[in-house]
Amino acid sequence: MNFRKRYELVLAVHFQSRGFAFVLFEGWLSPVDWGVYEPRGTEKNARCLDRFRSLLELHTPDILLLQDMSDRGTSRAKRIRELNRSAAEFAEKSGMLVRAYSRAQVIECFEELGAVTKHRIAETIANHIPALDLSLPPTRRSWMSEDARMGIFDAAALAWLFFQSIGKREGRAKE
């Protein structure tokens, strides 16, 4: 089975305290759109969901990838968990497949490549996907806030894990 026929467009979204980041893939290592959305003011979740819905309408992806924020997944703030859950529910009601991966699963996937820190994972992704290289933020120092663009790489890591899992199921060699 060819995963490109089964999942033409894969949207990976990473919700974070300031909004969300996304990457839309047309296939393994082939991003076609990516970005960061940071709503200002009140009602961040409502604004994020509106932007999220417009992304779905614009691109009509076949599958949505999110971070697993369940009790067994990744611990996140309540507001972010609610936003993630609402996005998953909306996508499922729209007939889209939804998959969620924990941070531990992402790290396990990238350990094989020698990347276990968030920045090393981002560098690995940028090295394999040149289109995202310009979005790679500089290494974060202890006094710095995390650059919002790092969310792009958190989203891309979810897609990387998804495509790798599809490849393993189909007997495809890892890239």
Side-chain angles (χ1 to χ4, degrees):
M1 180 183 308
N2 184 332
F3 70 86
R4 288 202 65 181
K5 288 182 183 169
R6 215 168 140 218
Y7 304 111
E8 288 293 329
L9 290 176
V10 175
L11 178 64
V13 177
H14 180 76
F15 291 103
Q16 46 202 18
S17 62
R18 295 187 301 203
F20 71 89
F22 71 94
V23 183
L24 180 73
F25 285 87
E26 201 169 41
W28 182 263
L29 306 179
S30 301
V32 292
D33 193 12
W34 58 91
V36 175
Y37 175 64
E38 294 185 40
R40 301 287 184 224
T42 60
E43 300 182 29
K44 281 186 178 183
N45 279 15
R47 290 174 187 222
C48 283
L49 284 173
D50 285 345
R51 181 60 60 95
F52 170 76
R53 288 181 187 121
S54 50
L55 267 176
L56 295 186
E57 289 172 12
L58 176 65
H59 296 297
T60 61
D62 301 298
I63 187 164
L64 172 66
L65 306 175
L66 297 169
Q67 190 173 42
D68 180 0
M69 294 185 190
S70 67
D71 291 339
R72 68 185 192 301
T74 306
S75 178
R76 299 292 300 273
K78 183 180 178 184
R79 184 182 71 77
I80 305 303
R81 287 193 318 267
E82 288 173 1
L83 182 56
N84 200 67
R85 182 188 44 76
S86 295
E89 288 173 359
F90 181 80
E92 286 172 343
K93 285 179 185 172
S94 300
M96 196 177 311
L97 292 172
V98 177
R99 297 286 181 267
Y101 299 104
S102 70
R103 186 75 186 150
Q105 287 174 294
V106 169
I107 290 171
E108 182 181 322
C109 173
F110 282 89
E111 269 181 333
E112 298 172 7
L113 301 171
V116 292
T117 67
K118 199 168 186 173
H119 196 77
R120 284 294 301 136
I121 290 170
E123 287 175 337
T124 300
I125 291 168
N127 287 336
H128 285 84
I129 306 173
L132 296 180
D133 188 47
L134 291 175
S135 298
L136 182 66
T139 303
R140 181 178 165 198
R141 304 291 180 210
S142 60
W143 64 86
M144 299 167 70
S145 295
E146 183 171 88
D147 191 302
R149 294 173 296 169
M150 190 57 83
I152 293 170
F153 294 93
D154 289 327
L158 296 172
W160 185 297
L161 180 54
F162 169 75
F163 284 117
Q164 212 172 45
S165 71
I166 292 295
K168 285 179 182 176
R169 281 202 308 258
E170 295 176 359
R172 187 170 167 260
K174 286 188 205 174
E175 293 191 24

